[in-house]
């Protein structure tokens, strides 16, 4: 009896069982999670557990530009890597993303596809690389790339097989998570403007009022009602009027803070929640938006200029109101004052 062979078999069986168990766990976990960040975190843990690379990255294809973006980077230079974008075909990851085929390289520097300039920029010495595509329905959505430095062992065919299996699970899970996010966005956003819809705006407002009460901070609300939309519809048609609503929604979204929340509140009405903002600061924002409306170029389908203005109302919590109902009532009062003043102006409740 050869004890060495028996020991090798035991070691092989343990490794095989460990890989099989891990892949089953990955499959269950990935197909049960619908949050993209949770999916990526789980991938990070399992890749490190099974293969233990020196450096590894998950890059996703930017659907707009087609470039590869570092979504996850486990590396001493991870933050710097996230600033880099790769064109399809650029480097090993770019080649895999372009051709949809895995690559296993024992010495990457000897391969003409290797992007040595990234190593130089990152002050890193790459040795072995294994890179596999993430493919869903014959569409390449990204790649997983593992790198070992010169002081470590190279990857082998077993590592490639494991990573390929993980990538198959990952592609399905990421697509499911993205679809779930898209469905959620459709539920809470307004189709025409891309802003939140009025139903979800109510939930957001309740949440922000509760947060302001808990931390004893202020919040302000800005309402704006587009002036004379009916005249635009009568003169240029409802399609042009709808486009004006869409363009105004985009102007609002591009000129508020990331913490602010804008919604299409009604037909031609918009509302903006400004957390941790007093009344004076809200007035500054409203005047800025009004000035941008006046200076922006809006046109009809036959290239005739259209002047857009709006009436702005502002109210503050808790200065003007202590409940959601009172706050909306204060806003209505401020809006009425703006319209009474001739429209195209900003008025506050206080």
């Amino acid at each position: 009896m050869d004890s060495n062979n028996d020991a090798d078999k035991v070691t092989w069986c343990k490794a095989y069982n460990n890989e099989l168990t891990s892949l089953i766990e990955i499959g269950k976990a990935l197909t049960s999670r619908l949050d993209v960040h949770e999916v990526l975190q789980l991938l990070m843990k399992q890749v490190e557990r099974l293969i233990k690379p020196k450096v590894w990255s998950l890059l996703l294809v930017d659907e707009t530009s087609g470039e590869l973006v570092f979504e996850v980077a486990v590396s001493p230079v991870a933050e710097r890597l996230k600033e880099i974008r790769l064109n399809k075909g650029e480097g090993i990851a770019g080649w895999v993303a372009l051709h949809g085929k895995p690559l296993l390289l024992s010495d990457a520097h000897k391969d003409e596809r290797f992007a040595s300039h990234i190593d130089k920029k990152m002050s890193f010495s790459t040795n072995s690389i294994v890179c596999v595509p993430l493919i869903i329905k014959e569409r390449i959505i990204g790649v997983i790339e593992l790198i070992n430095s010169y002081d470590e062992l190279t990857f082998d065919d077993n590592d490639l097989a494991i990573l390929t299996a993980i990538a198959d699970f990952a592609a399905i899970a990421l697509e499911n998570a993205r679809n779930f996010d898209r469905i959620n966005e459709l539920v809470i956003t307004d189709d025409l403007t891309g802003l939140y819809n009025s139903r979800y705006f109510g939930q957001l407002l309740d949440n922000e009022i509760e947060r302001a009460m808990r931390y004893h901070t202020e919040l302000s609300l800005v309402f704006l009602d587009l002036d004379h939309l009916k005249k635009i519809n009568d003169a240029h048609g409802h399609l042009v009027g709808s486009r004006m609503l869409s363009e105004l929604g985009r102007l609002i979204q591009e000129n508020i803070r990331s913490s602010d929340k804008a919604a299409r509140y009604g037909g031609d009405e918009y509302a903006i929640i400004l957390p941790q903002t007093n009344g004076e600061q809200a007035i500054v924002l409203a005047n800025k938006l009004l000035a941008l409306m006046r200076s922006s170029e809006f046109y009809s389908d036959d290239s005739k200029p259209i002047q857009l203005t709006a009436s702005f109302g502002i109210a503050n919590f808790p200065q003007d109101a202590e409940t959601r109902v009172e706050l909306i009532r204060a806003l209505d009062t401020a809006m009425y004052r703006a319209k009474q003043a001739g429209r195209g102006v900003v008025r506050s409740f206080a």
Side-chain angles (χ1 to χ4, degrees):
M1 181 175 178
D2 191 334
S3 59
N4 288 333
N5 286 340
D6 288 343
D8 289 341
K9 287 180 180 178
V10 170
T11 300
W12 181 86
C13 287
K14 286 182 178 178
Y16 177 79
N17 288 335
N18 182 47
E19 291 168 8
L20 183 60
T21 300
S22 294
L23 289 175
I24 292 172
E25 290 177 0
I26 290 171
K28 289 180 179 178
L30 287 179
T31 53
S32 66
R33 282 167 168 75
L34 290 173
D35 180 82
V36 171
H37 297 290
E38 285 186 19
V39 169
L40 296 180
Q41 288 299 320
L42 178 65
L43 275 174
M44 180 172 65
K45 291 178 181 178
Q46 295 301 331
V47 169
E48 291 174 345
R49 174 189 175 189
L50 287 174
I51 307 179
K52 299 180 176 61
K54 178 76 173 182
V55 172
W56 80 271
S57 306
L58 187 148
L59 301 89
L60 296 180
V61 176
D62 185 313
E63 295 181 355
T64 302
S65 67
E67 297 172 315
L68 282 174
V69 181
F70 285 86
E71 288 293 327
V72 177
V74 179
S75 163
V77 291
E79 292 306 313
R80 292 164 62 194
L81 278 175
K82 290 183 178 181
E83 299 173 359
I84 295 176
R85 285 174 168 253
L86 301 175
N87 294 318
K88 281 189 177 180
E90 181 181 1
I92 302 303
W95 187 92
V96 171
L98 180 63
H99 296 279
K101 298 178 180 179
L103 277 180
L104 173 62
L105 304 174
S106 58
D107 188 349
H109 283 272
K110 293 180 179 179
D111 194 289
E112 63 181 9
R113 293 164 293 192
F114 178 68
S116 58
H117 66 278
I118 296 179
D119 258 22
K120 292 177 182 177
K121 186 174 183 179
M122 297 293 112
S123 301
F124 188 83
S125 296
T126 297
N127 181 22
S128 179
I129 292 179
V130 58
C131 186
V132 299
L134 299 173
I135 303 175
I136 189 74
K137 297 177 182 177
E138 300 183 352
R139 181 168 57 90
I140 300 168
I141 64 172
V143 302
I144 301 178
E145 182 179 56
L146 277 56
I147 296 175
N148 275 344
S149 60
Y150 273 112
D151 58 351
E152 295 182 339
L153 297 174
T154 58
F155 297 114
D156 56 27
D157 289 335
N158 188 52
D159 296 323
L160 177 60
I162 293 171
L163 193 61
T164 300
I166 292 174
D168 288 341
F169 283 123
I172 295 170
L174 285 169
E175 187 70 4
N176 287 343
R178 283 176 167 179
N179 288 337
F180 182 73
D181 287 344
R182 291 188 187 105
I183 290 171
N184 275 343
E185 284 295 316
L186 290 174
V187 170
I188 65 177
T189 56
D190 172 64
D191 291 340
L192 184 62
T193 63
L195 304 179
Y196 292 121
N197 58 34
S198 59
R199 184 188 302 109
Y200 188 62
F201 178 81
Q203 297 179 33
L204 291 172
L205 182 55
D206 287 339
N207 293 340
E208 291 299 336
I209 289 175
E210 182 180 342
R211 185 177 289 110
M213 293 174 66
R214 184 185 309 124
Y215 296 108
H216 304 289
T217 58
E218 294 182 75
L219 76 84
S220 290
L221 274 186
V222 175
F223 267 31
L224 56 147
D225 187 346
L226 188 61
D227 294 330
H228 306 302
L229 178 62
K230 186 177 183 304
K231 290 183 179 180
I232 295 175
N233 288 335
D234 291 343
H236 306 286
H238 284 83
L239 289 178
V240 172
S242 294
R243 180 160 55 81
M244 295 299 101
L245 292 172
S246 177
E247 292 180 10
L248 178 55
R250 186 165 58 250
L251 182 146
I252 292 170
Q253 188 62 57
E254 291 174 352
N255 289 281
I256 59 177
R257 303 170 301 184
S258 59
S259 58
D260 299 334
K261 299 168 178 67
R264 184 184 180 195
Y265 196 75
D268 55 359
E269 295 177 331
Y270 300 80
I272 311 170
I273 303 173
L274 307 175
Q276 300 183 35
T277 304
N278 61 37
E280 290 75 14
Q281 293 168 326
I283 291 173
V284 171
L285 172 68
N287 279 312
K288 172 187 173 182
L289 291 175
L290 181 56
L292 284 170
M293 289 178 66
R294 286 174 170 155
S295 63
S296 296
E297 296 179 341
F298 301 97
Y299 294 97
S300 65
D301 289 341
D302 54 358
S303 300
K304 293 181 179 178
I306 297 175
Q307 179 65 61
L308 289 187
T309 62
S311 302
F312 287 76
I314 295 169
N316 176 267
F317 175 92
Q319 178 181 340
D320 302 327
E322 296 183 353
T323 68
R324 173 185 171 182
V325 172
E326 291 176 356
L327 192 61
I328 299 298
R329 189 178 296 130
L331 274 169
D332 285 339
T333 300
M335 283 284 293
Y336 179 76
R337 291 173 181 170
K339 291 180 179 180
Q340 287 293 103
R343 302 177 185 268
V345 296
V346 176
R347 292 291 184 268
S348 63
F349 177 77

